[in-house]
Amino acid sequence: MKPTISVLGTGRMGSALARSLLQAGYRTTVWNRTAEKTASLAAAGAAVAASVREAVEAADIVIVNVTDYSATAVLLHSDGVASAMRGKLIVELTSGAPHGAREAADWIAGHGAGYLDGAIMATPDFIGTEAGTILISGPREAFDANQGVFGALGGNVQHVGEEPGRANALDSAMLALM
């Protein structure tokens, strides 16, 4: 049975992630601080959550794609959300620095949830295609157990190490080279 997914943040990239999951047959719930940004996803079959807590409660896997780690903290540290995360997998696909990934991993683990951190190395147009590249770091077991989900997001999703900050460190290094 496929896991249920929630996507927090439905800007251009978050919407592309949610659309790819819907196209792959995943039951997907979306939340955005500006509810109007979820309308096209609702029309495509996504459930729309009225709150972050509702989105977290609706899913086995929560994909976060907001501005940065500080914005994620505002969402996840709010009332009731931390307890709703227990037993779920949080996949952070937000831009940031390695220390932000490590801090998020520690905080989320302290609330009984699993954590993977990722860096998207593609524009929204490449999400869900063979060229979609995402680097993921964190526990290999969590990555391997969810290969189907990651395969729906792109044909080149790579686990780059156990240390939560590794994906962002590699992202930064590659961007510096370019």
Side-chain angles (χ1 to χ4, degrees):
M1 188 162 112
K2 289 183 173 185
T4 55
I5 314 289
S6 282
V7 177
L8 305 180
T10 59
R12 284 192 63 225
M13 186 60 78
S15 291
L17 296 167
R19 274 194 189 83
S20 293
L21 293 163
L22 288 165
Q23 289 171 355
Y26 287 93
R27 194 176 88 206
T28 305
T29 298
V30 295
W31 174 87
N32 197 76
R33 135 191 95 175
T34 306
E36 295 79 29
K37 288 187 177 183
T38 63
S40 66
L41 295 168
V48 177
S51 68
V52 173
R53 182 178 179 170
E54 184 180 311
V56 170
E57 289 172 343
D60 300 311
I61 299 172
V62 179
I63 297 173
V64 184
N65 187 251
V66 294
T67 312
D68 55 25
Y69 290 106
S70 294
T72 297
V74 168
L75 298 179
L76 299 184
H77 295 207
S78 62
D79 290 340
V81 175
S83 62
M85 291 186 324
R86 185 167 300 284
K88 300 180 187 277
L89 176 63
I90 309 302
V91 180
E92 176 87 54
L93 296 179
T94 295
S95 297
H99 74 275
R102 289 188 292 274
E103 289 171 1
D106 289 344
W107 186 85
I108 288 168
H111 288 84
Y115 183 79
L116 291 171
D117 196 86
I120 300 172
M121 306 292 294
T123 62
D125 297 340
F126 288 101
I127 298 300
T129 72
E130 284 303 310
T133 298
I134 302 174
L135 307 178
I136 303 282
S137 54
R140 180 72 193 220
E141 183 179 310
F143 178 81
D144 289 346
N146 294 290
Q147 280 291 338
V149 173
F150 298 125
L153 300 179
N156 189 28
V157 179
Q158 303 289 322
H159 184 264
V160 295
E162 298 276 327
E163 202 282 313
R166 173 116 3 126
N168 272 304
L170 289 172
D171 178 47
S172 295
M174 285 190 252
L175 290 173
L177 288 173
M178 288 188 235

